[in-house]
């Protein structure tokens, strides 16, 4: 077994050589902490107290973010959180079959989502409601997925936002293939180039699809940003049960850059993602971002997090709340007053009320809709199947008339 100190500091000469001997308890603790604590290499521009930190590398990427723009990011996060909380409540009331909460991950999603340009493409898993919002997808369209009335009904080309992916890690292969296409079609190489971003969790890094995506992206210099939202828990398994070293360091083994950013810092997430996308659109190959954040709610509404994690851990992360640190910064610097915060909250409540009204009155789709948009061109086989199915259903209606 190699030394955990070697796992956390793999640069030659930076730590003791790996040996076959068992590590000491101190070495084990050091290795595990590196996967679950931010560490010295955590990129941060706005700390939990709302203080602005400087970065020679990343400040230029947010030079345009003035008080007005920061108020916009704050508003984004508040509205998305309110929509998430309302959707969670509606599931509990039987209006949705399931819901996947994003509570605590708003900064990672809004910051990275706002870094994208119209020509870029985003590939989500099933928790990226905030990214969908930044790409112009109506939040109400997300509800149909979890009410089981449709399968991502938005125009993914128009929005630059792929349908949700339920199979863990599969979207990484899809995104890598899409990015390879961007490269083959000559859509990279300058400031106006295209790029792709794909979202997945820390648990997905244990899936083969993710590693295959890394390999192909590296070999072909695909313009894809791998955005890992490390929310500390792959359902009930903590990160240290999945990896001997911080997740961003895995990129080194595939030959492309990896970076860890404070996932609760919307400004840092915006800056780092802009940098990574810039690298990709100029043809410099893939980048792995590990957004170090925390899932403050259940994995899904079918999960009970009290069975596997302590309440003390949750309380610690509440002090790192992504929305509160922006609020503190705006209040401290005079970038916003009480009237602004109250107006945003009122808008969020109205947003939630609209979602609720839509969901409670959402009509069931007609049965023939399952056959719609299966193929781009008409298909005689599909037409025959549709007619056969509708005739089958009509038989029940006729039976009920007698």
């Amino acid at each position: 077994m190699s030394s955990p100190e070697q796992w956390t500091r793999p640069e030659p000469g930076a730590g003791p050589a790996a040996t076959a001997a068992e590590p000491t308890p101190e070495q084990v603790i050091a290795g595990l902490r590196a996967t679950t604590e931010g560490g010295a290499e955590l990129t941060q521009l706005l700390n939990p107290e709302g203080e602005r930190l400087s970065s020679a590398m990343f400040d230029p990427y947010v030079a345009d973010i003035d008080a007005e723009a920061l108020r916009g990011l704050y508003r984004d996060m508040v509205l998305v959180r309110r929509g998430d909380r309302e959707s969670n409540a509606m599931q509990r009331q039987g209006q949705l079959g399931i819901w996947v909460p994003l509570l605590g991950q708003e900064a990672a999603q809004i910051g990275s989502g706002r870094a994208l340009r119209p020509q870029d493409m985003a590939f989500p898993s099933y928790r990226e409601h905030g990214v969908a919002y930044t790409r112009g997808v109506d939040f109400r369209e997300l509800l149909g997925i979890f009410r089981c009335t449709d399968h991502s009904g938005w125009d993914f080309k128009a929005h630059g936002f792929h349908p949700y992916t339920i199979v863990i890690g599969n979207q990484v292969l899809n995104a890598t293939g899409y990015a390879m296409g961007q490269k083959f079609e000559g859509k990279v190489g300058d400031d106006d180039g295209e790029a792709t971003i794909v979202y997945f969790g820390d648990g997905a890094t244990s899936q083969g699809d993710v590693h295959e995506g890394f390999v192909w992206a590296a070999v072909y210099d695909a313009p894809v940003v791998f955005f890992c939202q490390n929310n500390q828990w792959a359902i009930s398994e903590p990160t240290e049960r999945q990896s001997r070293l911080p997740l961003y360091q895995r990129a080194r083994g595939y030959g492309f850059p990896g970076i860890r950013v404070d996932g609760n810092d919307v400004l840092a997430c915006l800056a780092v993602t802009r940098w990574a996308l810039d690298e990709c659109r100029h043809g410099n190959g893939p980048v792995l971002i590990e957004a170090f954040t925390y899932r403050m709610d259940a994995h899904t509404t079918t999960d009970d997090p009290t069975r596997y994690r302590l309440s003390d851990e949750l309380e610690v992360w509440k002090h790192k709340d992504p929305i509160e640190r922006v609020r503190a910064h705006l209040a401290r610097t005079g970038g916003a007053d009480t009237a602004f915060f109250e107006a945003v909250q009122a808008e969020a409540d109205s947003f939630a009320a609209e979602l609720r009204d839509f969901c409670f009155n959402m009509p069931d789709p007609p049965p023939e809709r399952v056959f719609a948009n299966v193929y781009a061109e008409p298909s005689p086989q599909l037409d025959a199947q549709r007619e056969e199915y509708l005739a089958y259903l009509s038989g029940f209606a006729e039976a009920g008339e007698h």
Side-chain angles (χ1 to χ4, degrees):
M1 179 183 294
S2 60
S3 164
E5 290 192 2
Q6 187 75 3
W7 308 336
T8 62
R9 292 187 291 276
E11 292 292 346
T19 67
E22 290 189 5
T24 66
E26 291 76 15
Q27 288 175 323
V28 171
I29 292 172
L32 297 182
R33 279 180 176 171
T35 67
T36 58
E37 297 179 3
E41 295 188 11
L42 184 73
T43 300
Q44 189 177 77
L45 298 180
L46 205 61
N47 69 15
E49 290 72 38
E51 298 171 336
R52 179 69 163 86
L53 307 177
S54 62
S55 168
M57 180 176 179
F58 292 109
D59 281 348
Y61 288 94
V62 288
D64 62 320
I65 305 299
D66 55 12
E68 180 180 1
L70 196 56
R71 288 195 297 270
L73 293 171
Y74 174 84
R75 173 183 173 274
D76 288 344
M77 291 193 291
V78 171
L79 262 62
V80 166
R81 175 173 291 187
R82 189 67 180 85
D84 172 73
R85 295 296 81 202
E86 195 66 27
S87 300
N88 203 78
M90 288 190 290
Q91 191 282 329
R92 296 306 191 196
Q93 295 169 337
Q95 294 299 317
L96 300 176
I98 193 173
W99 182 250
V100 186
L102 62 75
L103 184 65
Q105 298 179 219
E106 296 87 357
Q109 296 194 16
I110 296 299
S112 61
R114 288 302 184 197
L116 292 163
R117 296 180 185 175
Q119 70 268 30
D120 298 331
M121 178 62 74
F123 285 77
S125 60
Y126 44 73
R127 198 186 303 274
E128 279 68 53
H129 321 315
V131 182
Y133 173 85
T134 67
R135 300 304 278 169
V137 176
D138 192 320
F139 208 97
R140 292 174 297 183
E141 292 194 80
L142 302 178
L143 300 180
I145 302 172
F146 299 100
R147 194 179 171 95
C148 304
T149 58
D150 61 57
H151 306 279
S152 305
W154 58 86
D155 185 335
F156 75 91
K157 288 187 177 180
H159 289 286
F161 188 74
H162 197 266
Y164 275 15
T165 302
I166 304 302
V167 179
I168 305 299
N170 181 251
Q171 69 275 17
V172 175
L173 286 177
N174 299 333
T176 299
Y178 187 92
M180 288 167 60
Q182 290 173 316
K183 177 71 177 295
F184 295 156
E185 293 178 0
K187 295 181 178 179
V188 298
D190 54 37
D191 289 341
D192 297 323
E194 295 185 7
T196 294
I197 189 169
V198 57
Y199 294 87
F200 52 95
D202 49 294
T205 64
S206 298
Q207 292 281 43
D209 283 2
V210 174
H211 296 278
E212 290 171 14
F214 287 176
V215 170
W216 283 88
V219 169
Y220 286 94
D221 282 331
V224 56
V225 175
F226 299 106
F227 196 93
C228 174
Q229 293 179 85
N230 179 4
N231 63 22
Q232 312 299 311
W233 290 94
I235 307 183
S236 60
E237 290 297 324
T239 308
E240 63 264 30
R241 293 287 298 273
Q242 306 173 66
S243 179
R244 289 184 172 186
L245 80 170
L247 298 178
Y248 75 97
Q249 291 186 12
R250 288 185 172 184
R252 188 174 299 143
Y254 298 93
F256 54 83
I259 186 170
R260 173 179 276 188
V261 64
D262 185 343
N264 285 23
D265 178 354
V266 68
L267 205 57
C269 288
L270 176 63
V272 168
T273 308
R274 280 179 168 177
W275 163 77
L277 289 167
D278 195 51
E279 287 290 297
C280 289
R281 71 178 79 257
H282 281 88
N284 295 330
V287 177
L288 171 62
I289 298 175
E290 178 192 354
F292 195 78
T293 182
Y294 190 79
R295 169 169 58 80
M296 297 181 71
D297 201 346
H299 176 70
T300 71
T301 47
T302 63
D303 172 41
D304 179 8
T306 63
R307 298 178 62 186
Y308 54 80
R309 69 184 187 190
L310 300 175
S311 59
D312 290 350
E313 179 180 302
L314 180 60
E315 291 303 314
V316 169
W317 279 92
K318 284 182 179 179
H319 293 293
K320 303 177 183 181
D321 187 278
I323 296 179
E324 288 306 312
R325 71 175 66 183
V326 178
R327 182 186 180 101
H329 177 78
L330 288 171
R332 176 182 289 113
T333 60
D337 55 16
T338 302
F340 166 77
F341 295 123
E342 291 177 348
V344 170
Q345 188 57 55
E347 183 183 3
D349 291 340
S350 177
F351 178 62
E354 291 175 2
L355 287 178
R356 173 172 287 273
D357 180 68
F358 175 82
C359 188
F360 273 68
N361 295 288
M362 190 187 304
D364 292 330
E368 62 267 21
R369 183 177 175 181
V370 71
F371 296 93
N373 301 316
V374 176
Y375 296 108
E377 302 294 336
S379 166
Q381 292 86 356
L382 188 67
D383 292 342
Q385 290 176 11
R386 181 181 63 249
E387 297 306 318
E388 181 181 357
Y389 181 63
L390 293 177
Y392 169 75
L393 293 180
S394 67
F396 290 98
E398 294 172 359
E401 294 174 357
H402 301 285

